[in-house]
Amino acid sequence: MDEELRSLTERVRSESGGAAGYDRLVTTESTDELAAVLVEQGQPLWARELAAFRLGVVGDRRAFESLVLLLNHRDPPRCASASYALARLGDPRTARAAAALATNELRVAYALHPVRLLVELRAPEAVPALITTLQRRLRPHDPYRRVALACVEGLGSLGDARARTVLNEALAHPTLAEAAVHALARIPAQR
């Protein structure tokens, strides 16, 4: 059992309160059984999360919609497990969905994991979405510094010259300046 699955199962075991279906969802090898949990009415959130995660890490695209919903959940551990599974799912819609979540100003409080997922995917949507999200975070007194910092670090990791302007703007923000210096250093010099 990998570390992410172990962490998820420990958290979900507590949430399930010892429900009978928990052990079955952890041990079943049937992707059809896991997928059924995603569409059956009345299934608790913990069961849907566990089923979607297990399907996602094996590349079963039936988990896509559930994982995207969990990626934008108010509970950070759910977002983290969804991000991990989406990165392994291999669905071409993932980057577009993560970009939409990262740039949604109404849900910016939950944008941290979509931003990190975009960086991990290194998809064409990543740099434009991170630039947009970071530009919005550079307003005075913006409360989402963790999201801004993830954008700065992610843009540095991606090393795309299109990020140079917004990273230079980030230098003026004390909480972002050091990360922006490092990010700019990772962008190849213009020729």
Side-chain angles (χ1 to χ4, degrees):
M1 181 179 297
D2 78 358
E3 181 60 27
E4 291 296 324
L5 179 57
R6 187 193 59 72
S7 175
L8 172 66
T9 55
E10 286 177 7
R11 178 172 50 81
V12 169
R13 178 183 297 121
S14 173
E15 280 183 49
S16 73
Y22 168 80
D23 287 330
R24 183 74 186 140
L25 288 175
V26 170
T27 60
T28 186
E29 295 300 321
S30 170
T31 56
D32 289 337
E33 185 177 345
L34 292 169
V37 170
L38 300 180
V39 295
E40 287 174 8
Q41 290 187 354
Q43 288 292 333
L45 183 58
W46 64 262
R48 292 180 191 281
E49 180 184 7
L50 183 54
F53 181 92
R54 293 206 51 221
L55 288 169
V57 297
V58 298
D60 190 318
R61 291 185 182 173
R62 293 178 286 183
F64 176 77
E65 287 84 6
S66 296
L67 289 171
V68 169
L69 289 172
L70 291 165
L71 181 63
N72 196 34
H73 197 273
R74 68 182 176 275
D75 184 15
R78 284 205 160 85
C79 300
S81 67
S83 178
Y84 180 87
L86 281 165
R88 282 138 192 86
L89 181 61
D91 192 302
R93 301 171 291 177
T94 300
R96 191 170 50 250
L101 293 174
T103 58
N104 183 343
E105 256 326 86
L106 298 175
R107 301 287 294 173
V108 69
Y110 311 108
L112 182 63
H113 290 284
V115 164
R116 289 178 176 164
L117 177 58
L118 282 168
V119 175
E120 185 174 353
L121 294 174
R122 304 185 78 81
E125 296 88 347
V127 172
L130 268 60
I131 289 172
T132 297
T133 303
L134 179 56
Q135 284 172 330
R136 293 173 180 165
R137 305 285 60 85
L138 296 180
R139 289 182 242 144
H141 311 295
D142 185 85
Y144 305 108
R145 288 294 169 207
R146 289 185 62 208
V147 173
L149 184 58
C151 288
V152 169
E153 292 170 347
L155 289 167
S157 176
L158 295 170
D160 191 301
R162 294 176 290 175
R164 193 178 307 280
T165 300
V166 73
L167 289 172
N168 279 318
E169 292 171 22
L171 292 170
H173 298 263
T175 58
L176 303 174
E178 184 178 345
V181 167
H182 293 295
L184 284 163
R186 296 180 77 180
I187 295 175
Q190 294 176 328
R191 297 184 194 257

